[in-house]
């Protein structure tokens, strides 16, 4: 199984929001530009899959990865893992599990989770994660089979290749964590997790990874399936 995690605000507890801190003043933006990040990817494609390209993203400078979260949630409502479009946030528990079970050199930077009063709302250490494994999957122009989430336009191009090609699925199911990047260097927002990593997170009590029990999930469910 391949699991898909992306925060669906419709499934969060009522009236709770999470957002990455706004861009820095003076027109400085914390998001790295293509020349600094995407164009600097290191390709190390495996011969085990002829229909996939595998990349390792570069490390980010401190000022780009030091991106706190703003929220109106209380401590009990903050999940251990958050995937907010371009940003991934994890608790210290998740950080340790990833470092132990996926020694790929992912980058973590300690951040604060700030309430509407500007004060930290949790004593649990949290990190902004630079997930460094990216994958490009060949578009075989197959039809998309039923899924239990609303796929993006990018996902409609590569997910059918996973669904219809057993060798692609077999290879991808070996990758603990990854995001997709297309030939035009557009990075997908969802984080994909293989069965081994997902079961490790689940067995260690990680919150924020409840699986969909119905199409598109319901409140408190964030993890879809491929």
């Amino acid at each position: 199984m391949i699991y898909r995690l992306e925060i669906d605000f419709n499934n969060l507890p009522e009236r709770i929001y999470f957002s990455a801190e706004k861009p820095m003043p003076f027109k400085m933006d914390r998001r790295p530009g293509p020349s600094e990040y995407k164009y600097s990817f290191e390709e190390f494609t495996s011969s085990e899959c002829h229909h996939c390209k595998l990349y390792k993203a570069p490390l980010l400078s401190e000022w780009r990865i030091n991106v706190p979260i703003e929220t109106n949630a209380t401590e009990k409502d903050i999940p251990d893992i958050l995937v907010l479009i371009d940003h991934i946030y994890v608790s210290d528990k998740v950080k340790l599990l990833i470092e132990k079970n996926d020694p790929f050199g992912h980058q973590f930077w300690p951040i604060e989770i700030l309430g509407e009063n500007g004060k930290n709302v949790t004593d649990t250490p949290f990190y902004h994660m630079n997930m460094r494994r990216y994958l490009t999957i060949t578009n075989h122009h197959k039809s998309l089979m039923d899924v239990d989430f609303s796929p993006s336009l990018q996902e409609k191009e590569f997910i059918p290749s996973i669904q219809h090609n057993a060798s692609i699925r077999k290879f991808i199911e070996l990758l603990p964590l990854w995001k997709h990047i297309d030939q035009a260097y557009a990075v997908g927002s969802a984080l994909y997790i293989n069965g081994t990593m997902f079961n490790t997170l689940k067995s260690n009590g990680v919150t924020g990874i409840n699986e969909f029990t119905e199409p598109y999930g319901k409140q408190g469910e964030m993890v879809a399936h491929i």
Side-chain angles (χ1 to χ4, degrees):
M1 180 64 72
I2 301 168
Y3 299 89
R4 178 190 185 274
L5 175 59
E6 182 179 21
I7 293 300
D8 181 344
F9 289 94
N10 294 319
N11 291 352
L12 284 172
E14 190 175 4
R15 295 184 297 278
I16 288 179
Y17 75 87
F18 295 94
S19 63
E21 186 185 68
K22 295 177 181 178
M24 297 176 70
F26 309 113
K27 298 183 179 180
M28 294 176 68
D29 194 336
R30 292 187 189 274
R31 292 173 298 180
S35 61
E36 181 183 0
Y37 194 63
K38 301 169 193 173
Y39 296 163
S40 300
F41 278 19
E42 175 188 357
E43 182 179 350
F44 59 105
T45 299
S46 171
S47 60
E48 297 176 29
C49 185
H50 301 291
H51 306 289
C52 307
K53 289 187 177 180
L54 200 57
Y55 303 93
K56 188 169 189 176
L59 296 170
L60 290 174
S61 55
E62 174 188 337
W63 74 276
R64 289 211 186 276
I65 200 169
N66 183 20
V67 185
I69 303 175
E70 297 176 340
T71 184
N72 64 344
T74 61
E75 183 168 14
K76 67 181 180 62
D77 292 317
I78 300 174
D80 285 309
I81 181 167
L82 282 161
V83 180
L84 303 174
I85 309 178
D86 295 329
H87 303 278
I88 301 172
Y89 295 95
V90 299
S91 67
D92 56 342
K93 178 192 294 186
V94 176
K95 173 182 179 289
L96 292 173
L97 290 171
I98 290 175
E99 289 177 329
K100 180 179 179 180
N101 295 280
D102 186 17
F104 194 75
H106 301 299
Q107 183 182 9
F108 300 88
W109 191 262
I111 55 93
E112 294 180 317
I113 300 182
L114 305 173
E116 295 178 310
N117 59 3
K119 296 182 179 179
N120 205 334
V121 298
T122 177
D123 294 328
T124 300
F126 268 82
Y127 300 83
H128 186 201
M129 178 183 180
N130 176 22
M131 201 286 309
R132 300 179 68 197
R133 182 186 290 107
Y134 288 82
L135 195 63
T136 295
I137 302 170
T138 302
N139 182 358
H140 287 157
H141 303 284
K142 300 289 186 178
S143 59
L144 179 69
M145 298 166 63
D146 287 342
V147 291
D148 57 358
F149 61 96
S150 297
S152 65
L153 291 176
Q154 188 187 72
E155 288 177 314
K156 289 178 180 178
E157 293 185 354
F158 75 83
I159 286 179
S161 296
I162 300 174
Q163 294 174 326
H164 291 274
N165 189 308
S167 64
I168 292 178
R169 175 175 284 275
K170 182 179 179 181
F171 173 74
I172 290 174
E173 286 179 339
L174 298 175
L175 305 178
L177 299 165
W178 58 278
K179 276 192 173 188
H180 188 266
I181 182 168
D182 67 23
Q183 298 292 350
Y185 296 99
V187 175
S189 55
L191 176 67
Y192 303 95
I193 307 171
N194 75 353
T196 301
M197 177 61 76
F198 185 79
N199 290 332
T200 296
L201 297 175
K202 193 172 182 179
S203 64
N204 281 276
V206 169
T207 59
I209 57 170
N210 289 338
E211 296 178 66
F212 284 9
T213 56
E214 59 184 48
Y216 311 109
K218 57 186 179 182
Q219 193 172 84
E221 297 177 343
M222 293 293 164
V223 176
H225 309 86
I226 297 177

